């Protein structure tokens, strides 16, 4: 029950692939990159998304289905976040047997789940990754490619047709990541113009944002129907979700404009 609901609409215009299909797609990309002889770049947010990626890469590794020789986590913030996730793993909802056994000091080691994971906390460590021309996965920030260490890896890999770029989350309009997803053939970064020859893949199923059907299902359980406002999304996505709510539930949602006030 609620008087007013503010609901996001980031993916208000479409649904994600189901979870297993997304994992299968990731595996296929990794094997194709291995055959092509290039690296795999994964721009990722340090908290949440990175840990998801490590979990699923570890799942593939445990099943003998990860062809890459190393996974580099090139983000000091993500490395710090991993330590917190590992220490409090017993509070996480991980189905089945916990994949990481505790050490004697009570801490958990992600390295047991994904032994090929290598962390590069310093700038010097990060630069050593550039020596690898093939066979590695590089996870680095920022998630929308607007800064951070991923830009350095773009400089060394984005122009190479044998490399693969995996976009695991939403890219907002105006960001470098969005320009690449939209098909830019060249991008400007670090005072240089770099060709985009790498193969680009988007995996919306790893996003923390629900797809259209999930959003509609979630909000349908409110009884009686509260006042509903759509937020956190580009206008066309909000309008698509507004129409879907109208068609499926007969529910008229409001799209607030800048400066609007909602009285509670």
């Amino acid at each position: 029950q609620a008087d007013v609901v503010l609901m996001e609409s980031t993916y208000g215009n479409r649904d994600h692939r189901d979870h297993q299909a997304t994992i299968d797609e990731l595996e296929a990309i990794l094997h194709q990159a291995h055959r092509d002889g290039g690296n795999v770049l994964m721009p990722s947010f340090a908290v949440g998304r990175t840990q998801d990626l490590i979990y699923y890469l570890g799942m593939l590794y445990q099943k003998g289905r990860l062809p890459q020789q190393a996974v580099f986590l090139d983000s000091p913030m993500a490395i710090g976040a991993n330590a917190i996730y590992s220490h409090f793993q017993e509070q996480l909802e991980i189905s089945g047997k916990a994949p990481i056994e505790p050490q004697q000091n009570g801490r958990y080691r992600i390295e047991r789940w994904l032994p090929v994971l290598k962390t590069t906390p310093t700038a010097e460590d990060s630069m050593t990754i550039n020596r690898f021309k093939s066979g590695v996965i590089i996870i680095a920030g920022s998630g929308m490619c607007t800064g951070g260490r991923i830009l350095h890896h773009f400089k060394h890999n984005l122009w190479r047709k044998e490399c693969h770029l995996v976009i695991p989350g939403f890219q907002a309009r105006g960001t470098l990541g969005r320009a690449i997803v939209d098909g830019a053939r060249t991008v400007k970064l670090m005072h240089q113009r770099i060709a985009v020859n790498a193969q680009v893949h988007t995996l919306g199923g790893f996003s923390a944002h629900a797809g259209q059907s999930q959003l509609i299902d979630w909000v349908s359980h409110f009884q009686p129907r509260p006042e509903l406002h759509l937020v956190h999304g580009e206008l066309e996505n909000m309008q698509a979700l507004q129409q879907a709510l109208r068609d499926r539930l007969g529910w008229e949602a409001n799209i607030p404009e800048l400066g609007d006030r909602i009285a509670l």
Side-chain angles (χ1 to χ4, degrees):
Q1 292 185 351
D3 298 314
V4 176
V5 170
L6 308 182
M7 185 168 71
E8 66 136 316
S9 56
T10 308
Y11 287 103
N13 63 334
R14 59 191 185 275
D15 285 326
H16 302 310
R17 289 190 178 187
D18 70 55
H19 198 61
Q20 187 57 50
T22 300
I23 296 171
D24 292 343
E25 184 179 4
L26 173 62
E27 181 183 356
I29 293 167
L30 298 180
H31 281 274
Q32 184 61 54
H34 181 67
R35 290 191 293 269
D36 292 343
N39 294 324
V40 179
L41 307 179
M42 293 184 175
S44 179
F45 295 109
V47 180
R49 181 71 44 73
T50 291
Q51 289 72 37
D52 280 346
L53 291 173
I54 290 172
Y55 179 78
Y56 294 118
L57 290 173
M59 181 185 298
L60 294 176
Y61 177 88
Q62 296 292 332
K63 296 177 180 178
R65 289 156 51 186
L66 183 70
Q68 279 69 26
Q69 61 181 313
V71 178
F72 287 101
L73 178 56
D74 193 23
S75 165
M77 183 184 292
I79 293 167
N82 275 5
I84 297 172
Y85 273 79
S86 296
H87 186 67
F88 294 100
Q89 188 201 326
E90 71 279 0
Q91 297 183 31
L92 302 178
E93 293 183 14
I94 299 177
S95 60
K97 185 177 183 293
I100 313 163
E101 298 296 337
Q103 292 181 293
Q104 288 184 350
N105 62 5
R107 291 183 178 274
Y108 294 81
R109 291 183 60 83
I110 290 176
E111 291 83 352
R112 295 191 181 189
W113 179 237
L114 183 57
V116 295
L117 180 67
K118 303 179 186 299
T119 57
T120 52
T122 70
E124 291 75 17
D125 294 334
S126 177
M127 286 187 284
T128 65
I129 301 174
N130 299 331
R131 299 202 301 259
F132 293 87
K133 303 305 179 186
S134 67
V136 302
I137 299 169
I138 304 167
I139 304 173
S142 68
M144 295 189 188
C145 314
T146 53
R149 293 183 179 180
I150 194 65
L151 299 184
H152 294 273
H153 301 301
F154 278 1
K155 179 180 177 181
H156 290 273
N157 294 276
L158 197 59
W159 51 273
R160 301 171 58 211
K161 66 180 184 303
E162 65 270 24
C163 291
H164 290 248
L165 170 60
V166 175
I167 303 290
F170 184 77
Q171 304 294 302
R173 185 174 291 140
T175 64
L176 176 60
R178 178 63 170 267
I180 293 172
V181 168
D182 285 347
R185 300 312 308 155
T186 65
V187 293
K188 188 174 182 180
L189 56 93
M190 302 174 67
H191 310 292
Q192 290 182 281
R193 187 152 289 278
I194 305 292
V196 182
N197 294 328
Q199 299 180 55
V200 180
H201 313 269
T202 57
L203 294 181
F206 284 137
S207 176
H209 297 283
Q212 185 189 83
S213 295
Q214 293 170 304
L215 292 168
I216 293 174
D217 177 69
W218 178 80
V219 80
S220 69
H221 296 283
F222 284 94
Q223 296 294 338
R225 288 182 178 177
E227 185 179 329
L228 176 60
H229 303 273
L230 304 182
V231 296
H232 199 287
E234 295 173 355
L235 180 59
E236 57 267 32
N237 296 353
M238 289 185 185
Q239 291 172 336
L241 181 57
Q242 183 186 51
Q243 185 62 48
L245 286 163
R246 187 181 296 132
D247 294 342
R248 297 190 204 178
L249 301 181
W251 192 345
E252 193 64 38
N254 180 52
I255 298 176
E257 296 185 2
L258 184 64
D260 282 359
R261 296 184 178 186
I262 300 170
L264 300 178

